[in-house]
Structure formats: C-alpha cells, structure tokens
Amino acid sequence: MILAAVTDTLAQIGNPTPEAPPLSNKILQLVNYFTWFMILSGILAITVAGGKFAWEKWTGGAMQSPKMVAGAMIGGVVATSGGTIMNAML
C-alpha cells in the first residue's frame, strides 16, 4: 500500500529539462582561457627544460633537467585529462 502510494507520487513528477545558469557563458569563457593558459605553460615548461637539458649537456653539469621534462609531461597529462575525467563522471 505504501509502495503503491510512493510509485503513484513519483509517476506524477515530470522530467525536468536542464537549463544553463545565468552566467554560464562567462564561466565557460573563463574555463577556455584557463585551458589555453595551461597548454601555453606546458609548452613553455617543456621548452625551458629542453634548453636546460642542452645547457647541462654542453657544460657537463649535473643532469637535473630530465626530471623537469618528466614533471612537465606528467603535469600536462594531468591538466588535459581533468576535463575527460569530469565528463566521464557527469
């Protein structure tokens, strides 16, 4: 009896249509700017690490730059996969 009343009540609730919030265009523009900045910073980090790698190879110094290159690549993977992970969750 209670189950029938619950199912009857739930059957009367309509399927709401999703609607974007009022400032969604500005938020999406900010996300696009942030994505562009992340791509630019990743390219810059790999370029700087490559230059440092060449300098260390030229002068015979300690090899610290392979860690920098690996860190920049891992950071790029994390930054670019964030959107994919969020889309999969939603």
mmCIF file of all heavy atoms in Angstrom, residues 38-86:
data_model
loop_
_atom_site.group_PDB
_atom_site.id
_atom_site.type_symbol
_atom_site.label_atom_id
_atom_site.label_comp_id
_atom_site.label_asym_id
_atom_site.label_seq_id
_atom_site.Cartn_x
_atom_site.Cartn_y
_atom_site.Cartn_z
ATOM 1 N N MET A 38 46.987 26.777 -19.614
ATOM 2 C CA MET A 38 47.627 25.512 -19.237
ATOM 3 C C MET A 38 48.419 24.930 -20.405
ATOM 4 O O MET A 38 49.521 24.417 -20.219
ATOM 5 C CB MET A 38 46.594 24.505 -18.745
ATOM 6 C CG MET A 38 45.958 24.864 -17.424
ATOM 7 S SD MET A 38 47.127 25.109 -16.083
ATOM 8 C CE MET A 38 47.846 23.502 -15.969
ATOM 9 N N ILE A 39 47.871 24.997 -21.601
ATOM 10 C CA ILE A 39 48.585 24.498 -22.772
ATOM 11 C C ILE A 39 49.840 25.321 -23.009
ATOM 12 O O ILE A 39 50.919 24.783 -23.255
ATOM 13 C CB ILE A 39 47.668 24.500 -24.007
ATOM 14 C CG1 ILE A 39 46.580 23.442 -23.849
ATOM 15 C CG2 ILE A 39 48.463 24.269 -25.288
ATOM 16 C CD1 ILE A 39 45.499 23.521 -24.899
ATOM 17 N N LEU A 40 49.716 26.638 -22.917
ATOM 18 C CA LEU A 40 50.867 27.519 -23.111
ATOM 19 C C LEU A 40 51.939 27.281 -22.059
ATOM 20 O O LEU A 40 53.136 27.200 -22.380
ATOM 21 C CB LEU A 40 50.420 28.980 -23.089
ATOM 22 C CG LEU A 40 51.513 30.011 -23.330
ATOM 23 C CD1 LEU A 40 52.026 29.895 -24.758
ATOM 24 C CD2 LEU A 40 50.980 31.400 -23.069
ATOM 25 N N SER A 41 51.540 27.128 -20.799
ATOM 26 C CA SER A 41 52.527 26.897 -19.747
ATOM 27 C C SER A 41 53.188 25.534 -19.891
ATOM 28 O O SER A 41 54.378 25.384 -19.587
ATOM 29 C CB SER A 41 51.892 27.052 -18.372
ATOM 30 O OG SER A 41 50.917 26.066 -18.164
ATOM 31 N N GLY A 42 52.475 24.532 -20.366
ATOM 32 C CA GLY A 42 53.074 23.221 -20.606
ATOM 33 C C GLY A 42 54.114 23.265 -21.712
ATOM 34 O O GLY A 42 55.199 22.684 -21.594
ATOM 35 N N ILE A 43 53.803 23.967 -22.792
ATOM 36 C CA ILE A 43 54.761 24.109 -23.887
ATOM 37 C C ILE A 43 55.982 24.877 -23.414
ATOM 38 O O ILE A 43 57.129 24.510 -23.722
ATOM 39 C CB ILE A 43 54.094 24.799 -25.094
ATOM 40 C CG1 ILE A 43 53.067 23.862 -25.715
ATOM 41 C CG2 ILE A 43 55.127 25.232 -26.124
ATOM 42 C CD1 ILE A 43 52.188 24.518 -26.745
ATOM 43 N N LEU A 44 55.762 25.922 -22.649
ATOM 44 C CA LEU A 44 56.874 26.712 -22.122
ATOM 45 C C LEU A 44 57.736 25.882 -21.169
ATOM 46 O O LEU A 44 58.979 25.949 -21.228
ATOM 47 C CB LEU A 44 56.350 27.959 -21.407
ATOM 48 C CG LEU A 44 57.405 28.903 -20.862
ATOM 49 C CD1 LEU A 44 58.183 29.531 -22.005
ATOM 50 C CD2 LEU A 44 56.755 29.982 -20.023
ATOM 51 N N ALA A 45 57.126 25.073 -20.313
ATOM 52 C CA ALA A 45 57.885 24.249 -19.366
ATOM 53 C C ALA A 45 58.746 23.225 -20.096
ATOM 54 O O ALA A 45 59.917 23.018 -19.739
ATOM 55 C CB ALA A 45 56.935 23.553 -18.398
ATOM 56 N N ILE A 46 58.213 22.589 -21.116
ATOM 57 C CA ILE A 46 58.993 21.608 -21.870
ATOM 58 C C ILE A 46 60.111 22.292 -22.642
ATOM 59 O O ILE A 46 61.230 21.776 -22.723
ATOM 60 C CB ILE A 46 58.070 20.785 -22.786
ATOM 61 C CG1 ILE A 46 57.194 19.877 -21.928
ATOM 62 C CG2 ILE A 46 58.875 19.964 -23.779
ATOM 63 C CD1 ILE A 46 56.173 19.087 -22.691
ATOM 64 N N THR A 47 59.856 23.492 -23.174
ATOM 65 C CA THR A 47 60.896 24.232 -23.894
ATOM 66 C C THR A 47 62.020 24.639 -22.958
ATOM 67 O O THR A 47 63.206 24.483 -23.285
ATOM 68 C CB THR A 47 60.282 25.476 -24.570
ATOM 69 O OG1 THR A 47 59.217 25.057 -25.426
ATOM 70 C CG2 THR A 47 61.315 26.224 -25.373
ATOM 71 N N VAL A 48 61.682 25.154 -21.778
ATOM 72 C CA VAL A 48 62.703 25.561 -20.807
ATOM 73 C C VAL A 48 63.498 24.344 -20.338
ATOM 74 O O VAL A 48 64.733 24.398 -20.235
ATOM 75 C CB VAL A 48 62.054 26.300 -19.614
ATOM 76 C CG1 VAL A 48 63.024 26.452 -18.459
ATOM 77 C CG2 VAL A 48 61.550 27.656 -20.061
ATOM 78 N N ALA A 49 62.811 23.243 -20.064
ATOM 79 C CA ALA A 49 63.507 22.034 -19.618
ATOM 80 C C ALA A 49 64.417 21.501 -20.716
ATOM 81 O O ALA A 49 65.535 21.037 -20.433
ATOM 82 C CB ALA A 49 62.502 20.978 -19.197
ATOM 83 N N GLY A 50 63.993 21.577 -21.969
ATOM 84 C CA GLY A 50 64.847 21.145 -23.075
ATOM 85 C C GLY A 50 66.070 22.034 -23.216
ATOM 86 O O GLY A 50 67.181 21.547 -23.463
ATOM 87 N N GLY A 51 65.899 23.339 -23.043
ATOM 88 C CA GLY A 51 67.041 24.256 -23.088
ATOM 89 C C GLY A 51 68.016 23.991 -21.950
ATOM 90 O O GLY A 51 69.236 24.009 -22.140
ATOM 91 N N LYS A 52 67.472 23.744 -20.777
ATOM 92 C CA LYS A 52 68.332 23.440 -19.628
ATOM 93 C C LYS A 52 69.042 22.110 -19.832
ATOM 94 O O LYS A 52 70.204 21.960 -19.458
ATOM 95 C CB LYS A 52 67.508 23.417 -18.347
ATOM 96 C CG LYS A 52 68.370 23.282 -17.114
ATOM 97 C CD LYS A 52 67.595 23.444 -15.845
ATOM 98 C CE LYS A 52 68.581 23.285 -14.703
ATOM 99 N NZ LYS A 52 67.982 23.331 -13.428
ATOM 100 N N PHE A 53 68.371 21.150 -20.435
ATOM 101 C CA PHE A 53 68.983 19.860 -20.732
ATOM 102 C C PHE A 53 70.161 20.046 -21.685
ATOM 103 O O PHE A 53 71.236 19.463 -21.467
ATOM 104 C CB PHE A 53 67.945 18.923 -21.340
ATOM 105 C CG PHE A 53 68.450 17.548 -21.634
ATOM 106 C CD1 PHE A 53 68.728 16.673 -20.609
ATOM 107 C CD2 PHE A 53 68.635 17.122 -22.940
ATOM 108 C CE1 PHE A 53 69.183 15.395 -20.875
ATOM 109 C CE2 PHE A 53 69.100 15.859 -23.206
ATOM 110 C CZ PHE A 53 69.368 14.989 -22.176
ATOM 111 N N ALA A 54 69.988 20.862 -22.719
ATOM 112 C CA ALA A 54 71.090 21.132 -23.658
ATOM 113 C C ALA A 54 72.232 21.850 -22.950
ATOM 114 O O ALA A 54 73.413 21.542 -23.190
ATOM 115 C CB ALA A 54 70.575 21.954 -24.828
ATOM 116 N N TRP A 55 71.923 22.805 -22.084
ATOM 117 C CA TRP A 55 72.966 23.537 -21.360
ATOM 118 C C TRP A 55 73.740 22.617 -20.425
ATOM 119 O O TRP A 55 74.971 22.690 -20.356
ATOM 120 C CB TRP A 55 72.356 24.694 -20.583
ATOM 121 C CG TRP A 55 73.376 25.483 -19.822
ATOM 122 C CD1 TRP A 55 73.620 25.430 -18.483
ATOM 123 C CD2 TRP A 55 74.295 26.406 -20.362
ATOM 124 N NE1 TRP A 55 74.640 26.278 -18.159
ATOM 125 C CE2 TRP A 55 75.073 26.902 -19.310
ATOM 126 C CE3 TRP A 55 74.538 26.879 -21.650
ATOM 127 C CZ2 TRP A 55 76.080 27.829 -19.491
ATOM 128 C CZ3 TRP A 55 75.539 27.813 -21.830
ATOM 129 C CH2 TRP A 55 76.302 28.282 -20.757
ATOM 130 N N GLU A 56 73.042 21.741 -19.722
ATOM 131 C CA GLU A 56 73.721 20.796 -18.836
ATOM 132 C C GLU A 56 74.585 19.823 -19.622
ATOM 133 O O GLU A 56 75.675 19.444 -19.182
ATOM 134 C CB GLU A 56 72.698 20.031 -17.994
ATOM 135 C CG GLU A 56 72.047 20.878 -16.929
ATOM 136 C CD GLU A 56 70.905 20.172 -16.226
ATOM 137 O OE1 GLU A 56 70.558 19.038 -16.623
ATOM 138 O OE2 GLU A 56 70.352 20.757 -15.279
ATOM 139 N N LYS A 57 74.123 19.413 -20.784
ATOM 140 C CA LYS A 57 74.904 18.510 -21.628
ATOM 141 C C LYS A 57 76.146 19.232 -22.155
ATOM 142 O O LYS A 57 77.219 18.644 -22.239
ATOM 143 C CB LYS A 57 74.014 18.033 -22.783
ATOM 144 C CG LYS A 57 74.547 16.904 -23.550
ATOM 145 C CD LYS A 57 74.292 15.630 -22.795
ATOM 146 C CE LYS A 57 74.513 14.478 -23.748
ATOM 147 N NZ LYS A 57 74.614 13.229 -23.054
ATOM 148 N N TRP A 58 75.994 20.505 -22.515
ATOM 149 C CA TRP A 58 77.099 21.297 -23.068
ATOM 150 C C TRP A 58 78.178 21.551 -22.020
ATOM 151 O O TRP A 58 79.371 21.454 -22.305
ATOM 152 C CB TRP A 58 76.548 22.616 -23.596
ATOM 153 C CG TRP A 58 77.572 23.510 -24.197
ATOM 154 C CD1 TRP A 58 78.335 24.420 -23.551
ATOM 155 C CD2 TRP A 58 77.939 23.579 -25.560
ATOM 156 N NE1 TRP A 58 79.154 25.057 -24.417
ATOM 157 C CE2 TRP A 58 78.935 24.560 -25.684
ATOM 158 C CE3 TRP A 58 77.512 22.913 -26.718
ATOM 159 C CZ2 TRP A 58 79.519 24.895 -26.883
ATOM 160 C CZ3 TRP A 58 78.098 23.251 -27.914
ATOM 161 C CH2 TRP A 58 79.087 24.228 -27.990
ATOM 162 N N THR A 59 77.752 21.900 -20.793
ATOM 163 C CA THR A 59 78.717 22.255 -19.751
ATOM 164 C C THR A 59 79.156 21.054 -18.923
ATOM 165 O O THR A 59 80.102 21.178 -18.140
ATOM 166 C CB THR A 59 78.122 23.316 -18.801
ATOM 167 O OG1 THR A 59 76.960 22.784 -18.173
ATOM 168 C CG2 THR A 59 77.798 24.592 -19.542
ATOM 169 N N GLY A 60 78.506 19.924 -19.039
ATOM 170 C CA GLY A 60 78.877 18.744 -18.272
ATOM 171 C C GLY A 60 78.408 18.795 -16.834
ATOM 172 O O GLY A 60 78.975 18.134 -15.972
ATOM 173 N N GLY A 61 77.386 19.581 -16.544
ATOM 174 C CA GLY A 61 76.870 19.710 -15.179
ATOM 175 C C GLY A 61 75.987 18.536 -14.787
ATOM 176 O O GLY A 61 75.798 17.578 -15.534
ATOM 177 N N ALA A 62 75.460 18.617 -13.591
ATOM 178 C CA ALA A 62 74.565 17.574 -13.079
ATOM 179 C C ALA A 62 73.277 17.563 -13.890
ATOM 180 O O ALA A 62 72.750 18.609 -14.256
ATOM 181 C CB ALA A 62 74.264 17.825 -11.610
ATOM 182 N N MET A 63 72.769 16.380 -14.156
ATOM 183 C CA MET A 63 71.585 16.243 -15.007
ATOM 184 C C MET A 63 70.306 16.344 -14.168
ATOM 185 O O MET A 63 69.804 15.349 -13.657
ATOM 186 C CB MET A 63 71.640 14.906 -15.748
ATOM 187 C CG MET A 63 72.828 14.781 -16.679
ATOM 188 S SD MET A 63 72.813 16.037 -17.955
ATOM 189 C CE MET A 63 71.830 15.239 -19.162
ATOM 190 N N GLN A 64 69.797 17.545 -14.014
ATOM 191 C CA GLN A 64 68.543 17.788 -13.306
ATOM 192 C C GLN A 64 67.364 17.913 -14.272
ATOM 193 O O GLN A 64 66.216 17.738 -13.887
ATOM 194 C CB GLN A 64 68.642 19.085 -12.484
ATOM 195 C CG GLN A 64 69.682 19.043 -11.400
ATOM 196 C CD GLN A 64 69.266 18.117 -10.277
ATOM 197 O OE1 GLN A 64 68.087 17.966 -10.002
ATOM 198 N NE2 GLN A 64 70.245 17.495 -9.649
ATOM 199 N N SER A 65 67.646 18.242 -15.523
ATOM 200 C CA SER A 65 66.569 18.554 -16.463
ATOM 201 C C SER A 65 65.702 17.362 -16.864
ATOM 202 O O SER A 65 64.533 17.578 -17.187
ATOM 203 C CB SER A 65 67.139 19.226 -17.701
ATOM 204 O OG SER A 65 68.149 18.426 -18.270
ATOM 205 N N PRO A 66 66.193 16.115 -16.905
ATOM 206 C CA PRO A 66 65.248 15.034 -17.228
ATOM 207 C C PRO A 66 64.083 14.954 -16.247
ATOM 208 O O PRO A 66 62.965 14.625 -16.636
ATOM 209 C CB PRO A 66 66.112 13.767 -17.163
ATOM 210 C CG PRO A 66 67.480 14.235 -17.492
ATOM 211 C CD PRO A 66 67.570 15.609 -16.891
ATOM 212 N N LYS A 67 64.316 15.299 -14.988
ATOM 213 C CA LYS A 67 63.217 15.346 -14.014
ATOM 214 C C LYS A 67 62.243 16.458 -14.370
ATOM 215 O O LYS A 67 61.029 16.304 -14.201
ATOM 216 C CB LYS A 67 63.761 15.578 -12.609
ATOM 217 C CG LYS A 67 64.589 14.447 -12.061
ATOM 218 C CD LYS A 67 65.073 14.801 -10.671
ATOM 219 C CE LYS A 67 66.349 14.061 -10.349
ATOM 220 N NZ LYS A 67 66.943 14.519 -9.114
ATOM 221 N N MET A 68 62.780 17.577 -14.842
ATOM 222 C CA MET A 68 61.915 18.693 -15.233
ATOM 223 C C MET A 68 61.049 18.310 -16.429
ATOM 224 O O MET A 68 59.853 18.640 -16.472
ATOM 225 C CB MET A 68 62.750 19.928 -15.563
ATOM 226 C CG MET A 68 63.411 20.569 -14.372
ATOM 227 S SD MET A 68 64.482 21.943 -14.828
ATOM 228 C CE MET A 68 63.336 23.073 -15.574
ATOM 229 N N VAL A 69 61.632 17.646 -17.409
ATOM 230 C CA VAL A 69 60.876 17.227 -18.594
ATOM 231 C C VAL A 69 59.783 16.238 -18.184
ATOM 232 O O VAL A 69 58.635 16.359 -18.619
ATOM 233 C CB VAL A 69 61.819 16.620 -19.657
ATOM 234 C CG1 VAL A 69 61.026 16.009 -20.794
ATOM 235 C CG2 VAL A 69 62.781 17.659 -20.188
ATOM 236 N N ALA A 70 60.144 15.261 -17.341
ATOM 237 C CA ALA A 70 59.155 14.288 -16.888
ATOM 238 C C ALA A 70 58.044 14.966 -16.091
ATOM 239 O O ALA A 70 56.854 14.656 -16.260
ATOM 240 C CB ALA A 70 59.826 13.205 -16.047
ATOM 241 N N GLY A 71 58.407 15.911 -15.227
ATOM 242 C CA GLY A 71 57.403 16.635 -14.456
ATOM 243 C C GLY A 71 56.465 17.448 -15.334
ATOM 244 O O GLY A 71 55.256 17.490 -15.101
ATOM 245 N N ALA A 72 57.030 18.100 -16.362
ATOM 246 C CA ALA A 72 56.194 18.887 -17.277
ATOM 247 C C ALA A 72 55.250 17.986 -18.053
ATOM 248 O O ALA A 72 54.084 18.331 -18.278
ATOM 249 C CB ALA A 72 57.075 19.683 -18.225
ATOM 250 N N MET A 73 55.733 16.828 -18.457
ATOM 251 C CA MET A 73 54.870 15.913 -19.215
ATOM 252 C C MET A 73 53.765 15.327 -18.334
ATOM 253 O O MET A 73 52.613 15.226 -18.759
ATOM 254 C CB MET A 73 55.706 14.810 -19.847
ATOM 255 C CG MET A 73 56.640 15.329 -20.910
ATOM 256 S SD MET A 73 57.661 14.037 -21.557
ATOM 257 C CE MET A 73 57.123 14.050 -23.242
ATOM 258 N N ILE A 74 54.107 14.962 -17.108
ATOM 259 C CA ILE A 74 53.092 14.437 -16.186
ATOM 260 C C ILE A 74 52.073 15.530 -15.853
ATOM 261 O O ILE A 74 50.862 15.274 -15.809
ATOM 262 C CB ILE A 74 53.755 13.867 -14.919
ATOM 263 C CG1 ILE A 74 54.515 12.594 -15.257
ATOM 264 C CG2 ILE A 74 52.721 13.595 -13.828
ATOM 265 C CD1 ILE A 74 55.382 12.070 -14.151
ATOM 266 N N GLY A 75 52.545 16.746 -15.634
ATOM 267 C CA GLY A 75 51.633 17.859 -15.388
ATOM 268 C C GLY A 75 50.713 18.115 -16.558
ATOM 269 O O GLY A 75 49.528 18.411 -16.388
ATOM 270 N N GLY A 76 51.222 17.999 -17.770
ATOM 271 C CA GLY A 76 50.388 18.158 -18.961
ATOM 272 C C GLY A 76 49.325 17.090 -19.074
ATOM 273 O O GLY A 76 48.182 17.370 -19.434
ATOM 274 N N VAL A 77 49.698 15.857 -18.748
ATOM 275 C CA VAL A 77 48.725 14.761 -18.793
ATOM 276 C C VAL A 77 47.628 14.983 -17.757
ATOM 277 O O VAL A 77 46.439 14.814 -18.039
ATOM 278 C CB VAL A 77 49.430 13.399 -18.575
ATOM 279 C CG1 VAL A 77 48.435 12.298 -18.306
ATOM 280 C CG2 VAL A 77 50.288 13.059 -19.773
ATOM 281 N N VAL A 78 48.017 15.397 -16.563
ATOM 282 C CA VAL A 78 47.021 15.645 -15.513
ATOM 283 C C VAL A 78 46.108 16.809 -15.899
ATOM 284 O O VAL A 78 44.886 16.744 -15.727
ATOM 285 C CB VAL A 78 47.723 15.908 -14.162
ATOM 286 C CG1 VAL A 78 46.750 16.438 -13.136
ATOM 287 C CG2 VAL A 78 48.391 14.649 -13.666
ATOM 288 N N ALA A 79 46.699 17.875 -16.440
ATOM 289 C CA ALA A 79 45.900 19.058 -16.801
ATOM 290 C C ALA A 79 44.931 18.763 -17.938
ATOM 291 O O ALA A 79 43.788 19.226 -17.923
ATOM 292 C CB ALA A 79 46.820 20.212 -17.173
ATOM 293 N N THR A 80 45.365 17.986 -18.928
ATOM 294 C CA THR A 80 44.486 17.728 -20.057
ATOM 295 C C THR A 80 43.476 16.621 -19.785
ATOM 296 O O THR A 80 42.431 16.571 -20.431
ATOM 297 C CB THR A 80 45.289 17.355 -21.316
ATOM 298 O OG1 THR A 80 46.139 16.250 -21.018
ATOM 299 C CG2 THR A 80 46.113 18.525 -21.786
ATOM 300 N N SER A 81 43.765 15.738 -18.843
ATOM 301 C CA SER A 81 42.813 14.663 -18.565
ATOM 302 C C SER A 81 41.755 15.072 -17.552
ATOM 303 O O SER A 81 40.794 14.342 -17.350
ATOM 304 C CB SER A 81 43.553 13.420 -18.064
ATOM 305 O OG SER A 81 44.166 13.689 -16.828
ATOM 306 N N GLY A 82 41.899 16.224 -16.942
ATOM 307 C CA GLY A 82 40.911 16.673 -15.966
ATOM 308 C C GLY A 82 39.524 16.824 -16.566
ATOM 309 O O GLY A 82 38.523 16.396 -15.985
ATOM 310 N N GLY A 83 39.443 17.406 -17.746
ATOM 311 C CA GLY A 83 38.147 17.567 -18.418
ATOM 312 C C GLY A 83 37.526 16.233 -18.805
ATOM 313 O O GLY A 83 36.310 16.036 -18.687
ATOM 314 N N THR A 84 38.358 15.310 -19.270
ATOM 315 C CA THR A 84 37.868 13.986 -19.636
ATOM 316 C C THR A 84 37.336 13.245 -18.421
ATOM 317 O O THR A 84 36.292 12.583 -18.498
ATOM 318 C CB THR A 84 38.992 13.182 -20.312
ATOM 319 O OG1 THR A 84 39.529 13.942 -21.389
ATOM 320 C CG2 THR A 84 38.491 11.863 -20.813
ATOM 321 N N ILE A 85 38.055 13.350 -17.319
ATOM 322 C CA ILE A 85 37.605 12.682 -16.093
ATOM 323 C C ILE A 85 36.275 13.278 -15.621
ATOM 324 O O ILE A 85 35.355 12.545 -15.239
ATOM 325 C CB ILE A 85 38.679 12.775 -14.999
ATOM 326 C CG1 ILE A 85 39.907 11.958 -15.393
ATOM 327 C CG2 ILE A 85 38.148 12.320 -13.654
ATOM 328 C CD1 ILE A 85 41.111 12.190 -14.524
ATOM 329 N N MET A 86 36.158 14.604 -15.672
ATOM 330 C CA MET A 86 34.905 15.238 -15.248
ATOM 331 C C MET A 86 33.747 14.851 -16.179
ATOM 332 O O MET A 86 32.628 14.626 -15.709
ATOM 333 C CB MET A 86 35.066 16.754 -15.220
ATOM 334 C CG MET A 86 35.949 17.222 -14.084
ATOM 335 S SD MET A 86 35.380 16.689 -12.467
ATOM 336 C CE MET A 86 33.868 17.583 -12.313
#
